[in-house]
Amino acid sequence: MESRTEISSLGEFGLIQRINKGITTALPDTVRGIGDDAAVIDIGEEYGLLSTDLLLEGVHFDLTFFPLKHLGYKAIAVNVSDIAAMNGIPHQVTVSIAISNRFSVEAVDELYAGIKTACKDFNVDLVGGDTSSSRSGLLISVSVFGKVKKDKIVYRNTARPNDLLCVTGDLGGAYLGLQLLEREKQVFLANPDMQPELEGKDYVIQRQLRPEARMDVIYELEEAGVIPTSMIDLSDGLASDLLHICAQSGVGAVVFEERLPIDEQTFLAASELNLSPITAALNGGEDYELLFTVSQSAYELIKNNPKITFVGYIADKSEGVSIHTKSDSRVPLTAQGWS
């Protein structure tokens, strides 16, 4: 009898590694395949960047509380974020959708209104896609093509000991926004007459429903003359994504708990939900901020940028990956992100 291995025993990243094991690239213009935020293709004077993302109803979003316009915007933003993580500029996107018969023409219009707004905001062209029927709700697949100068490309596997560890924006808000929306959904299902209690929580709700790709920081790093030594976008949580950088670069890292950038609304939401804001910042995911490393010489060039926080440093591999707590102890960092 043929043995059966459950996918859950591998997890998402184990499955990706297993798929990648049997794949080799043969074409000379394929520079980098599976294993980074985007594939890298030699297109002459520049590198082309190609990435794709799948959003499934019931897995990645819940239409009970997710407006279709915001969903369309988010579908583009999360793909643009992958190009930003390679220090590139997005140019074109394709969008494919599969819809069930419970969606009207007006619903599709609403979805594409959000897609068009995001394309305008991030200066990308929508150039094609595919449409299909679905038996199980809504499916959205977005592919994005971008470009980067060959001497400006940034990978995950090039962090070096003594580099400084930086993060854009703030962390944990998207996860807590989702927890609040899930809570209000349960209240609504129990009593449809109850009004949602979301007043004063607009920031964390927005972090979940309408995240922004940090192209603004990519342009500002360019202006400052700084090329990160490694970079990744924060889709799975700082702990999980930092472990990717460290594993692929063969280094360790230290993160200072007191340096983690957490918005006041995120603190308040965490308190209300009886959750740790630090855990949300480290493991929440879906913030779509950028986690990157820079050489120490770059510190003076970006230290005054209010969008960038220095949260730690890259260490030797032998030191492992840890968080330096406020109580002055070191705790190994483990990935509790999404699978």
Side-chain angles (χ1 to χ4, degrees):
M1 187 176 161
E2 200 174 305
S3 64
R4 172 189 163 94
T5 307
E6 298 299 331
I7 289 174
S8 59
S9 69
L10 293 178
E12 181 187 2
F13 303 118
L15 181 62
I16 291 168
Q17 285 168 0
R18 189 180 174 98
I19 291 168
N20 194 25
K21 214 186 291 179
I23 293 174
T24 55
T25 56
L27 299 173
D29 52 354
T30 304
V31 178
R32 176 75 55 108
I34 297 168
D36 220 303
D37 284 277
V40 183
I41 302 150
D42 194 332
I43 55 172
E45 288 184 15
E46 295 178 297
Y47 284 141
L49 302 169
L50 190 60
S51 184
T52 191
D53 262 304
L54 200 57
L55 294 172
L56 289 160
E57 184 177 355
V59 178
H60 300 104
F61 59 89
D62 184 336
L63 289 177
T64 310
F65 51 71
F66 216 126
L68 284 165
K69 190 180 280 186
H70 287 353
L71 180 61
Y73 193 98
K74 183 172 183 175
I76 300 300
V78 302
N79 277 270
V80 167
S81 185
D82 284 333
I83 301 299
M86 307 294 290
N87 205 32
I89 307 297
H91 286 264
Q92 288 87 17
V93 292
T94 62
V95 177
S96 298
I97 60 167
I99 44 175
S100 65
N101 59 10
R102 79 172 207 272
F103 291 91
S104 64
V105 171
E106 289 77 13
V108 176
D109 286 346
E110 191 76 0
L111 178 71
Y112 273 85
I115 288 169
K116 289 171 189 171
T117 300
C119 287
K120 188 178 174 193
D121 282 1
F122 298 118
N123 196 27
V124 296
D125 286 336
L126 175 60
V127 295
D130 191 19
T131 55
S132 173
S133 62
S134 161
R135 291 184 177 177
S136 56
L138 176 62
L139 179 151
I140 307 167
S141 176
V142 179
S143 293
V144 59
F145 176 76
K147 294 179 186 175
V148 61
K149 292 190 176 92
K150 288 184 176 179
D151 59 348
K152 299 276 176 73
I153 191 161
V154 179
Y155 296 107
R156 294 177 182 179
N157 67 342
T158 41
R160 303 166 305 213
N162 300 318
D163 282 350
L164 302 173
L165 192 59
C166 312
V167 70
T168 63
D170 56 82
L171 306 175
Y175 174 73
L176 288 163
L178 178 62
Q179 299 311 305
L180 287 168
L181 289 164
E182 291 281 6
R183 182 189 71 180
E184 294 307 312
K185 176 189 172 182
Q186 296 308 317
V187 170
F188 174 78
L189 291 174
N191 183 357
D193 295 327
M194 288 288 285
Q195 289 299 305
E197 288 184 32
L198 296 173
E199 196 175 323
K201 302 177 175 74
D202 49 333
Y203 180 68
V204 291
I205 299 295
Q206 179 208 319
R207 294 288 284 170
Q208 170 58 219
L209 298 181
R210 199 177 183 275
E212 295 286 343
R214 295 315 301 257
M215 284 307 303
D216 54 336
V217 175
I218 296 301
Y219 292 122
E220 286 168 25
L221 288 172
E222 167 90 10
E223 280 172 33
V226 171
I227 301 173
T229 53
S230 69
M231 186 153 52
I232 192 170
D233 78 327
L234 291 174
S235 54
D236 294 310
L238 186 142
S240 185
D241 291 320
L242 175 58
L243 286 165
H244 284 319
I245 284 181
C246 290
Q248 292 186 29
S249 298
V251 294
V254 177
V255 175
F256 293 97
E257 180 186 342
E258 63 184 20
R259 298 289 300 157
L260 292 172
I262 301 172
D263 186 82
E264 187 182 351
Q265 241 195 60
T266 303
F267 270 114
L268 291 171
S271 175
E272 185 178 322
L273 292 162
N274 204 21
L275 295 168
S276 159
I278 299 298
T279 301
L282 288 174
N283 300 304
E286 289 206 295
D287 288 310
Y288 295 102
E289 296 293 347
L290 294 171
L291 175 69
F292 61 97
T293 55
V294 295
S295 61
Q296 292 193 24
S297 59
Y299 175 77
E300 290 296 325
L301 300 171
I302 57 173
K303 68 176 183 182
N304 294 323
N305 188 321
K307 299 173 184 176
I308 297 170
T309 304
F310 294 89
V311 295
Y313 63 89
I314 297 297
D316 191 76
K317 186 179 182 179
S318 61
E319 292 186 45
V321 184
S322 62
I323 182 160
H324 191 108
T325 68
K326 288 174 184 170
S327 58
D328 213 26
S329 61
R330 293 267 175 99
V331 179
L333 209 55
T334 54
Q336 296 167 19
W338 304 97
S339 60

